[in-house]
Amino acid sequence: DQQVKQNSPSLSVQEGRISILNCDYTNSMFDYFLWYKKYPAEGPTFLISISSIKDKNEDGRFTVFLNKSAKHLSLHIVPSQPGDSAVYFCAASGDTGNQFYFGTGTSLTVIP
Amino acid sequence: GAVVSQHPSRVICKSGTSVKIECRSLDFQATTMFWYRQFPKQSLMLMATSNEGSKATYEQGVEKDKFLINHASLTLSTLTVTSAHPEDSSFYICSALRMNTEAFFGQGTRLTVV
């Protein structure tokens, strides 16, 4: 049973435009969410996080939005750059962070 | 940012042998580390949670006698794949928790069993 879902396996965006990656979860006990970025043949790297006490967290070109009532979070990248092309995973945790549940990833391609 | 070093990055071994993968948190202490396995075109699958000074907690379906985990210090966890078989070939990734909140990942280990 997939508790964290990323329903779009891939996304293509023109350079300079906004990329929006979406993530849905089913467990209302999740209170900490993260986005990871993964290049081919490399381990995922942490990108940005948000706790359930917030509905927005911004770090440079990356902004994560959390809608608790809809159990939905999204990652906005603006402006998108070709180097952003990677697989993006969202993850959720329900306690102190002792277990993370990952989505299946969305492959983002930024077209120059 | 925090650094987690995983070694080796690639390893090829013969079927029946054992392989040890190390995961080190270089600039922070991690009482909890995680081991993941990535299957092609699938998300990371959590194999086990490694806690310093105690036995690892394995996820359902993961053979604890085959995937031995040792978390001997606050900066090092090891995963040993025992009696490796070709079906164990995969990408293994560790992550370490800093301050029990943020998780930082190692660069991964590509294991090929021939």
Side-chain angles (χ1 to χ4, degrees):
Chain A
D1 182 27
Q2 193 81 17
Q3 297 194 54
V4 177
K5 299 178 183 178
Q6 292 175 257
N7 293 317
S8 298
S10 62
L11 175 69
S12 291
V13 171
Q14 206 72 34
E15 182 179 7
R17 300 285 183 92
I18 183 171
S19 295
I20 300 177
L21 297 102
N22 294 303
C23 181
D24 298 287
Y25 60 97
T26 58
N27 191 337
S28 58
M29 297 303 291
F30 288 150
D31 59 7
Y32 190 66
F33 306 88
L34 309 96
W35 283 93
Y36 291 91
K37 177 179 180 179
K38 185 184 181 300
Y39 292 113
E42 294 183 15
T45 55
F46 171 75
L47 194 58
I48 192 169
S49 67
I50 189 169
S51 74
S52 60
I53 62 173
K54 293 185 174 182
D55 54 19
K56 176 183 174 182
N57 189 23
E58 192 172 1
D59 183 4
R61 295 185 298 113
F62 302 91
T63 303
V64 57
F65 294 93
L66 175 63
N67 183 333
K68 291 183 286 293
S69 61
K71 296 192 183 68
H72 176 84
L73 67 155
S74 60
L75 174 68
H76 293 212
I77 306 172
V78 54
S80 301
Q81 298 174 354
D84 296 329
S85 298
V87 177
Y88 290 79
F89 293 92
C90 66
S93 174
D95 47 20
T96 57
N98 280 333
Q99 182 163 336
F100 287 93
Y101 296 88
F102 284 83
T104 50
T106 297
S107 178
L108 172 66
T109 302
V110 180
I111 304 164
Chain B
V3 178
V4 174
S5 175
Q6 192 172 334
H7 177 80
S9 58
R10 292 178 181 273
V11 58
I12 301 173
C13 70
K14 290 185 177 181
S15 185
T17 62
S18 296
V19 174
K20 180 185 284 188
I21 303 170
E22 293 186 347
C23 180
R24 293 180 186 273
S25 55
L26 298 184
D27 54 359
F28 65 97
Q29 293 183 331
T31 55
T32 304
M33 293 187 178
F34 307 95
W35 286 97
Y36 299 87
R37 179 174 177 175
Q38 184 180 29
F39 293 94
K41 297 182 180 180
Q42 294 186 35
S43 184
L44 297 178
M45 181 196 79
L46 177 65
M47 298 175 65
T49 301
S50 168
N51 296 295
E52 188 267 338
S54 63
K55 290 184 179 180
T57 303
Y58 290 82
E59 295 300 299
Q60 192 173 7
V62 178
E63 299 176 60
K64 58 183 68 177
D65 293 331
K66 180 167 187 60
F67 298 99
L68 300 179
I69 292 173
N70 185 292
H71 195 153
S73 77
L74 288 171
T75 59
L76 173 64
S77 176
T78 60
L79 168 68
T80 302
V81 182
T82 62
S83 188
H85 289 283
E87 57 264 33
D88 298 326
S89 298
S90 189
F91 196 64
Y92 293 87
I93 303 173
C94 72
S95 72
L97 272 190
R98 183 175 71 176
M99 302 295 287
N100 266 355
T101 53
E102 293 181 315
F104 296 90
F105 285 85
Q107 60 269 58
T109 297
R110 170 69 63 188
L111 170 64
T112 304
V113 184
V114 298

